[in-house]
Structures are given as C-alpha cells and as structure tokens.
Amino acid sequence: MRATEFDAWFLDLDGVVYIGPELLPGVQETLARWRRAGKLVRFLTNDPRPTREELATRLRSLGVEADASEIVTCGWATGRLLPTIGVQRVFVVGSSGLAEELQRAGLTVVQDGSLPDAVVVGADERLSFLDVVRGAVLVQRGARFIATNNDPSYPLPIGTVPATGAVVCAIRLATGRRPLVVGKPEPLMFRLARETLPAGATALVIGDRMESDILGAHRAGFPAILVASSAFAMPRPGDPRRPDAVVRSLADLFERPPDLPVRVPSTDQWPERVVAGVVLLLVDETRGTLALLPSDGGWQLPWTSLEPLETLEGAAWRLVHHLLQGSAAHLEWVGAVSDTEAVLLRGADGELVHVVGSCFRAAVHQSADTDRVRWHALDSLVEVLPGERVTWIMRRLAPHQ
C-alpha cells in the first residue's frame, strides 16, 4: 500500500512539520494537497508545553490548516489516562499549558505543598531547579511518578537541546523511582489518534525519531516513515525501530510515494536499557527446585549487572551471596552453562532490562525460602513462568540433571 493511499497521516511536529519557529520546506503545499484529496491529518507531539488550541493556532500562523481536535499531545494524553488509574490531584513539573490540559481533564493541580496523587513531569523553558526539587521530594513522599514523555532532546534551529527526558532523569536519579511514561513510544497517543478516525480508516505514521515515532508506531500497529535529511545508521532488520521507508521531506511522499507493509500491533516488549550481567539458575541439591524472585506481580530468574572491573563469575558469586544471605558454605558451584545469553528481565523497580552475559548454575544443600527468594518445583514452573521461559530454563539445566 503506497503512502498516498492511506486515509490519514499521523504526523510528528518537531523535525517533520517545523523546527522551532520555522516551517520546513514543502510542508504547507504537501499538507494542502493531501487535504484536497479528501484525506485526514492528525498531529502527534511529545511536546508537553502547549495546549492543543495553542498548537493549532501556531500551525495556522505558519500557513498549515489545523484544528485542536486534530492534535494529540502527550500532555492531553496524560490528562486522558490519569483519571483511569485513580489519579485526581497532581503536582506539575512543567508548563502552564500542561497544567491547563490536566485541569480540563478534571484533575486538580496542587501547589500548596500537600501530597498529591502524582507528580506529572513535562518540560518548559521557565522551569526552575526548585520545581524539580519539589517534584523529587513529593515522589519520595509517596506520590506516583508520571512522565508525559521520556525524550532526551528536541531540535531547534540553534541545535539539539534538553527535553522532558532530562528532567525525568534528574528526578529518577534523586528518588530511585521509575516513572510511568505516557508519550511516544508508548502506544497510547497512537490509539487516541486512531479513535478520532472513522471506523476502518487506515493510517500511516510519519516522524523523525526512530526511538519514539517509529518504535511507537510499530508497537501500536501502524506502518511508519522516517523523515531524515542526512545519513544515519539503519537498525537491523526485525528491529521495531527500523522505519518502513525513509524520505527527506514530506514533499517526497507525493513525488516518490513508498510502498508500505500492513502492520499489526506488536506484543513484543521493548527494554528500557541493555546491560552486561549474569543470570543465575539456583537449584537445590536434589535438582528438583529452582529459586525465583518476585517481579512485577509474578516471578523471574535472579540476575545482576556487572560492577566496574568485575568478571562475570565474580558477579555470579556476588549474587549468590546476596540471595542466600551469606550462606555460601552450602554451595556447590557448577559454572557457566553457556558463553553468551540475552534475556529480558525486570529490574528491582520494575524496569524491563535486556541482560546480556552468561548464565550460571549453582546448587545449594538447603532450599529454605528467604526474604529474597522463593523455591519452586521444576515440574510446576509452567504455573508461574511463561512456557518459553520454562523451556529456556530446562534446556540449560538438562546437561546437569
């Protein structure tokens, strides 16, 4: 299906429609031609600062037809989401426009120092360090940590500058808490945009960031085109950040419309980071039970990331001592099951991590539950772990049964 055959285009703004105050070449003519063909436009932006009305006014001042109902911002999406997860009172680390969008959604924005249900983080040129400090303190006191998006930067004519992700990172480092992220590449904004289309309408996503626009589109089930004016490193085939096509500008979509595949929503989880580490298969002396850790409402294998100058085997021993509270005398060390592993696991705060390293196995003579681990019979692992993970575990234990 060619790009010009879709019913709607979902367009990112920064880097696709404009950069700072400047409309990009060919945008006005291309979008006017698209609308004359009876097609639909939706603007999706991770900029949490303006209201939808302010963005529509800005686009019209640049010569681009736009209505507030055609715009999905991460701030507006946050306002749609929070009441559904029990949040009513919020402290805003961000702009007055973000606060206004949240208030329109029925949320109460507090400034009196009382503990809100959540701290909502955006970005704003007038943001002060004290605002960040207050947000961090409230998160430490128990408020939920909500990020409108996690983009580290955005483009301006003067260069690339810090964005919401930089503020989010500051609060995360200060609190040790991981936020709930609303904006792209999470699927919510794409789903909200889809809800504004007629039933059965087809849509194409056009963006300039592989980590947010392209990845988010593919997770939500949309084909995606990358706008790139210079050379870049293309992700490997199969990577959901890999665009279905690349163009230099919106005008290219009419001049040389690329052919795009049909997409379905992806069920694959996407890790927040990749770490070097070890995964531990800790069994009892009968080889009949396996130690697992509680994780995100379920169970998973123990793992740890490498510390500076630490070997893989040293990290594995450190993990064993930590899990068994120092009872290393009861261990029978076996060693590495395979040279290299790559496993998706949860961190202590629920962060999804791609752990790359070695898988080690150790046997302990006493398999009593501790504060850190619970022992599970191997023949009942299918009741607590996904089937593919059980197969992975049994394959690595088999040589030593």
Side-chain angles (χ1 to χ4, degrees), residues 149-194:
N149 71 83
N150 207 22
D151 286 353
S153 62
Y154 68 96
L156 286 178
I158 60 173
T160 299
V161 299
T164 301
V167 183
V168 170
C169 185
I171 295 178
R172 182 171 180 174
L173 287 173
T175 64
R177 296 274 299 279
R178 184 175 63 92
L180 170 65
V181 180
V182 177
K184 300 178 287 186
E186 300 304 317
L188 177 61
M189 288 176 60
F190 300 95
R191 292 170 182 163
L192 291 174
R194 191 206 308 266

Side-chain angles (χ1 to χ4, degrees), residues 12 22 29 47 58 68 83 85 138 157 193 204 210 215 242-243 249 275-276 280 298 308 365:
D12 181 44
E22 301 175 5
E29 299 81 2
D47 186 349
R58 178 183 178 185
I85 60 174
L138 291 172
L204 161 68
M210 291 182 288
L215 174 60
R242 185 183 178 94
S249 68
V275 303
L280 184 65
H365 298 304

Side-chain angles (χ1 to χ4, degrees), residues 178 294-299 346 350:
R178 184 175 63 92
S295 172
D296 202 30
W299 299 92
R346 293 281 176 188

